[in-house]
Amino acid sequence: MDKMLVGADGDVTITNDGATILNEMQVEHPIGKLMVQLSKSQDDEIGDGTTSVVVLAGALLEHAESLVDKGIHPTRISSGYEMACGIAVDTLKRISSTNDWAPDKSLEPIINACCTALCSKVVNRAQRKLAEMCVKAVLAVADLERHDVNLDLIKVEGKVGGTLEESQLIEGIVVDKEFSHPQMPKAVKDAKLCILTCPFEPPKPKTKHDVRITSVEAYQRLFEEEQAYFKDMVKRVKDSGANVVICQWGFDDEANHLLLQNQLPAIRWVGGVEMELIAIATGGRIIPRFSEVTADKLGHAASIREVTFGTTKERMLVIEGCRNSKAVTLVLRGGNKMMVEEAKRSVHDALCVARNFIKDSAVVYGGGSSELACSLAVAEAADAITGVEQYAVRAFADALEAVPFALAENSGLPPIDTIATVRARQLAEKNPRLGIDCNGVGTNDMSEQHVHETLTSKRQQFLLATQVVKMILKIDDVIQSGGGDQE
């Protein structure tokens, strides 16, 4: 289920992304802050599974509390949890399957994994289209030889208006700006970009100063000096062969008029991150001063065009056919700002899943099937363990059922009956692919429903949750350090 978060200034955020919810909450309890950090670690490392890891950690702590009440020492519980986590991770590896896929052949396995990440989001009605866009974007920037993906080369831009189905993947860079003058051309073919971080204006003294004009001649001389500066700047850019100027800073009407006269379309107030992305994509260099403008530092693109959205006169610039094609942009549309922001968060999860799949193509089946399979394996292994740790291992097995329990509950199914039935079928049929039929398809076999999760994500959830719970269990006192008045 989604949560509505209302900020102090009245801003409303609707999401079911675990990392976003915990990040926006004002958590005061120190253990609660550890949970926020746990979710952030999962988000930074994997990008998906932020809710599951917190649900699992909470279930482990809940079962640990009952064990402590029975008189079992926290250290023994930690030891038991560590043993159980090792058994669960080994079980994940055993039940996982490796998909043979290739960029020029079948992309279905990687698309299915992205669809699984998107199916619980508010954008699920367009999950197939978004999943395909994310897979194409990741493959466009991926280094398949090293199994590495630089997600910084994928820009996600949102625009309010239109429907989610109108979202598109653009093989190039989209800049949320427009040409600085309305009479400048709306499209430039074979663009040579001069990427500047210096402003189109005369130099200013760094010390405090006053200029006193006492005559018409003095004003005219000052005006001519200023014009000479502007003309020299434009001439240097023009002589380099550039036909488009991208500037990090703004420039006044005088400079804008001169650029128009010299047929130099310009874009101003472009952010630093976008400047770097444009430079990487077009093969250009960021130029800090006009004296360094040369032809070999220009970026190259097949075209730059201005795109208008709807009737609001909102415009964006699309830079396509870049020399270094390893830069793409996902343009997401939505009915309102909240929808667009949630679509961005959902697409981020799907991009991370695609990246993890390229790094390691091993997958486990979703719908709570892998958690139930691991729970059965851990419970069976507990019988062979002598000592108090056996209780902790059994508690770990019970805690693993928290994720399928939440899935069944959020799907409107009776959670206890559903989990008992699926667990019994897994034992009887020796089939670890059986999970919760959340969508009412009519089958519990997740391989038939194509519900896949990457092994990397699931393994990281188990390991991170266990580590944090072990750390919390070893705390026996809370001491307020610093800030207090000394008597």
Side-chain angles (χ1 to χ4, degrees):
M1 300 297 285
D2 291 350
K3 301 289 181 284
M4 179 183 282
L5 305 169
V6 183
D9 53 355
D11 283 348
V12 176
T13 304
I14 299 175
T15 182
N16 71 349
D17 182 64
T20 305
I21 293 168
L22 290 173
N23 219 23
E24 295 288 333
M25 287 171 62
Q26 293 181 350
V27 180
E28 296 295 334
H29 198 283
I31 299 300
K33 290 179 180 178
L34 287 178
M35 289 296 184
V36 175
Q37 292 169 11
L38 169 64
S39 182
K40 188 175 184 306
S41 298
Q42 177 75 11
D43 195 36
D44 293 344
E45 185 68 21
I46 301 296
D48 188 32
T50 51
T51 307
S52 300
V53 72
V54 175
V55 169
L56 179 57
L60 288 172
L61 285 172
E62 188 179 348
H63 284 80
E65 185 182 18
S66 64
L67 293 178
V68 170
D69 291 341
K70 289 178 181 177
I72 301 175
H73 197 275
T75 305
R76 306 296 291 273
I77 300 172
S78 298
S79 178
Y81 277 180
E82 184 70 27
M83 293 166 63
C85 182
I87 297 165
V89 169
D90 290 340
T91 306
L92 282 177
K93 290 178 184 175
R94 180 172 54 79
I95 65 174
S96 66
S97 58
T98 304
N99 287 286
D100 293 326
W101 69 281
D104 53 344
K105 293 180 183 177
S106 173
L107 296 176
E108 205 60 31
I110 191 168
I111 291 172
N112 286 336
C114 291
C115 282
T116 303
L118 293 170
C119 69
S120 64
K121 310 290 185 184
V122 75
V123 299
N124 60 355
R125 63 188 172 86
Q127 65 180 25
R128 179 75 190 186
K129 178 182 174 65
L130 291 176
E132 289 176 356
M133 284 168 48
C134 291
V135 171
K136 288 176 183 175
V138 168
L139 289 176
V141 304
D143 185 344
L144 296 177
E145 290 183 5
R146 296 192 300 120
H147 298 282
D148 188 36
V149 179
N150 183 4
L151 290 182
D152 290 339
L153 294 174
I154 302 174
K155 188 183 178 193
V156 181
E157 196 72 55
K159 207 70 179 172
V160 176
T163 63
L164 201 59
E165 287 77 10
E166 292 174 19
S167 302
Q168 56 184 312
L169 171 67
I170 293 172
E171 294 184 1
I173 308 296
V174 174
V175 185
D176 195 6
K177 302 288 177 185
E178 56 187 286
F179 286 117
S180 59
H181 197 287
Q183 291 181 333
M184 287 178 177
K186 303 303 178 190
V188 179
K189 300 287 184 183
D190 190 24
K192 297 179 179 65
L193 290 79
C194 182
I195 306 167
L196 297 169
T197 55
C198 46
F200 260 103
E201 58 183 29
K204 296 176 182 176
K206 293 183 180 179
T207 55
K208 193 174 180 181
H209 63 283
D210 287 323
V211 177
R212 297 180 184 275
I213 306 296
T214 56
S215 65
V216 175
E217 291 78 12
Y219 176 81
Q220 187 65 31
R221 193 163 62 250
L222 180 66
F223 175 73
E224 288 171 1
E225 286 284 340
E226 190 178 65
Q227 286 288 301
Y229 271 117
F230 280 134
K231 288 175 181 175
D232 180 59
M233 291 172 184
V234 174
K235 183 177 182 299
R236 285 177 184 271
V237 174
K238 195 77 175 172
D239 289 348
S240 70
N243 56 7
V244 177
V245 177
I246 296 178
C247 187
Q248 188 174 13
W249 302 99
F251 36 82
D252 58 14
D253 292 340
E254 190 70 38
N256 209 11
H257 178 68
L258 278 171
L259 287 166
L260 177 66
Q261 274 189 330
N262 286 271
Q263 297 179 344
L264 266 178
I267 310 163
R268 54 185 168 186
W269 298 118
V270 180
V273 176
E274 290 175 325
M275 295 277 283
E276 290 176 12
L277 199 57
I278 292 168
I280 292 169
T282 59
R285 298 277 297 276
I286 295 175
I287 303 169
R289 51 184 69 87
F290 284 95
S291 59
E292 296 180 17
V293 176
T294 55
D296 61 316
K297 293 180 180 176
L298 301 181
H300 297 266
S303 68
I304 298 179
R305 58 190 174 89
E306 198 173 85
V307 181
T308 307
F309 291 95
T311 59
T312 57
K313 295 184 180 179
E314 287 194 28
R315 298 179 178 89
M316 297 175 91
L317 288 167
V318 180
I319 305 172
E320 293 177 306
C322 302
R323 174 181 282 181
N324 177 10
S325 61
K326 285 198 168 187
V328 295
T329 305
L330 291 164
V331 180
L332 303 175
R333 307 301 305 279
N336 55 41
K337 186 180 177 183
M338 284 183 289
M339 185 70 178
V340 171
E341 291 302 316
E342 180 64 4
K344 281 186 180 182
R345 286 188 285 269
S346 303
V347 163
H348 169 263
D349 286 1
L351 290 171
C352 290
V353 167
R355 178 196 63 185
N356 295 335
F357 196 97
I358 287 173
K359 288 185 174 182
D360 183 1
S361 61
V363 297
V364 293
Y365 293 96
S369 61
S370 54
E371 282 88 352
L372 284 172
C374 290
S375 174
L376 290 170
V378 171
E380 185 181 350
D383 295 333
I385 297 172
T386 58
V388 181
E389 285 82 0
Q390 183 184 119
Y391 288 90
V393 174
R394 289 189 191 282
F396 192 98
D398 292 339
L400 284 173
E401 294 182 359
V403 172
F405 190 95
L407 279 173
E409 199 171 31
N410 289 334
S411 304
L413 302 170
I416 297 173
D417 293 346
T418 306
I419 290 173
T421 305
V422 174
R423 191 199 300 120
R425 283 189 60 192
Q426 274 206 19
L427 268 174
E429 300 174 23
K430 305 291 183 188
N431 184 1
R433 298 188 298 273
L434 297 175
I436 310 299
D437 182 15
C438 299
N439 298 321
V441 176
T443 175
N444 291 98
D445 196 325
M446 295 297 113
S447 63
E448 293 178 18
Q449 292 197 31
H450 305 295
V451 180
H452 300 152
E453 292 184 69
T454 57
L455 173 62
T456 310
S457 173
K458 191 62 69 178
R459 182 175 58 219
Q460 192 74 6
Q461 289 173 33
F462 287 5
L463 293 172
L464 280 178
T466 307
Q467 284 175 16
V468 169
V469 170
K470 279 177 60 186
M471 182 176 68
I472 293 170
L473 285 173
K474 291 190 176 182
I475 299 169
D476 70 341
D477 200 359
V478 179
I479 302 169
Q480 193 74 29
S481 60
D485 293 332
Q486 302 273 335
E487 288 188 5

